[in-house]
């Protein structure tokens, strides 16, 4: 990602040197997100301020509520919500066990990073994004490997909420996949090359940022 950042900076953009935690956004005055939103005729999501203009260092922490037990998740949310933390992550485990109610309960305490890594045909992902918008997540993840059309469809669906839309973050290569595992799926080359390839694709087609590991 350092290489991608430097390449994009030569064009006046960049992923930004102050990305918080494992979420990489263009934080130098939000040039990428604002420019991209302007070019598409829509506003940048207000939720970008969560990481770009935090009220404190703790406000930039995204705490993962990785448990299938909703009461346990609520207890963790109470302990890790502002001012101790900033954003609370609801992933597949908790969402699969408790569904939208988990997002509603956790979201009553802090902004929610809804980490579902959506990956399907463009129409289906767009429908899923629209279905999730009433939960008002601050951030939502998709798989960049779904392709340019899928990322574009997710962005268009998210923009139906205008500035209230979630930050759309793209996942590139899962941390569990090494070179051998990628080769088994037909991807040649080092994982770093695939990460850069998918990162460019996602950012060029509407993602606001990347999930980086």
């Amino acid at each position: 990602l350092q290489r991608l950042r430097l390449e994009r900076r030569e064009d006046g953009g960049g992923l930004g040197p102050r990305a918080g935690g494992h979420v990489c956004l263009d934080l130098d005055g939000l040039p990428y997100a604002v420019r991209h939103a302007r070019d598409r005729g829509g506003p940048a999501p207000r939720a970008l301020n969560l990481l770009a203009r935090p009220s404190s260092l703790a406000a930039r922490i995204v705490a993962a509520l990785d448990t299938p037990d909703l009461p346990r998740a609520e207890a963790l949310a109470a302990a890790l919500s502002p001012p101790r933390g900033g954003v609370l992550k609801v992933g597949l485990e908790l969402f699969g066990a408790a569904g939208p109610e988990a997002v509603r309960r956790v979201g009553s305490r802090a902004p929610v990073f809804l980490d579902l890594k959506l990956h399907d045909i463009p129409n289906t992902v767009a429908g899923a994004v629209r279905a999730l918008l009433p939960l008002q997540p601050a951030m939502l993840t998709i798989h960049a490997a779904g392709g340019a059309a899928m990322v574009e469809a997710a962005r268009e669906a998210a923009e139906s909420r205008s500035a209230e839309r979630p930050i759309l973050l793209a996942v590139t290569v899962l941390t569990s996949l090494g070179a051998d595992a990628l080769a088994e799926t037909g991807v040649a080359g080092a994982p770093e090359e695939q990460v850069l390839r998918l990162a460019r694709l996602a950012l060029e087609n509407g993602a606001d940022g990347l999930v980086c590991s």
Side-chain angles (χ1 to χ4, degrees), residues 21-59:
H22 292 294
V23 177
C24 295
L25 296 168
D26 188 344
L27 303 182
D28 294 335
L30 309 183
Y32 179 80
V34 171
R35 183 177 66 252
H36 194 73
R38 181 196 62 206
D39 292 344
R40 295 173 60 88
R46 292 196 181 104
L48 279 169
N49 289 330
L50 291 171
L51 295 180
R53 302 185 181 93
S55 57
S56 66
L57 289 176

Side-chain angles (χ1 to χ4, degrees), residues 33-167:
V34 171
R35 183 177 66 252
H36 194 73
R38 181 196 62 206
D39 292 344
R40 295 173 60 88
R46 292 196 181 104
L48 279 169
N49 289 330
L50 291 171
L51 295 180
R53 302 185 181 93
S55 57
S56 66
L57 289 176
R60 296 183 66 173
I61 296 174
V62 179
L65 307 180
D66 289 339
T67 172
D69 184 75
L70 184 53
R72 173 61 175 159
E74 289 185 278
L76 289 170
L80 299 170
S81 58
R84 300 179 185 88
V87 180
L88 299 173
K89 191 196 84 168
V90 173
L92 279 173
E93 186 177 16
L94 181 55
F95 194 82
E101 185 62 21
V103 181
R104 283 189 282 267
R105 293 196 193 182
V106 170
S108 68
R109 294 187 175 276
V112 172
F113 173 14
L114 189 52
D115 187 21
L116 300 183
K117 299 181 180 69
L118 301 177
H119 187 176
D120 212 308
I121 63 172
N123 188 57
T124 298
V125 167
V129 170
R130 286 192 292 269
L132 293 168
L133 288 179
L135 298 176
Q136 298 183 303
M139 306 175 189
L140 180 64
T141 54
I142 60 173
H143 262 293
M150 192 209 78
V151 176
E152 177 86 13
R155 175 61 179 260
E156 290 179 356
E159 285 185 337
S160 64
R161 286 194 73 93
S162 190
E164 300 301 328
R165 71 172 179 83
I167 298 170

Side-chain angles (χ1 to χ4, degrees), residues 4 9 19 21-22 27 32 59 85 96 113 127 149 165 168 176 193 202 208-209:
L4 174 63
R9 284 202 174 284
H22 292 294
L27 303 182
Y32 179 80
F113 173 14
R165 71 172 179 83
L168 198 62
S176 60
E193 295 174 357
D208 295 300

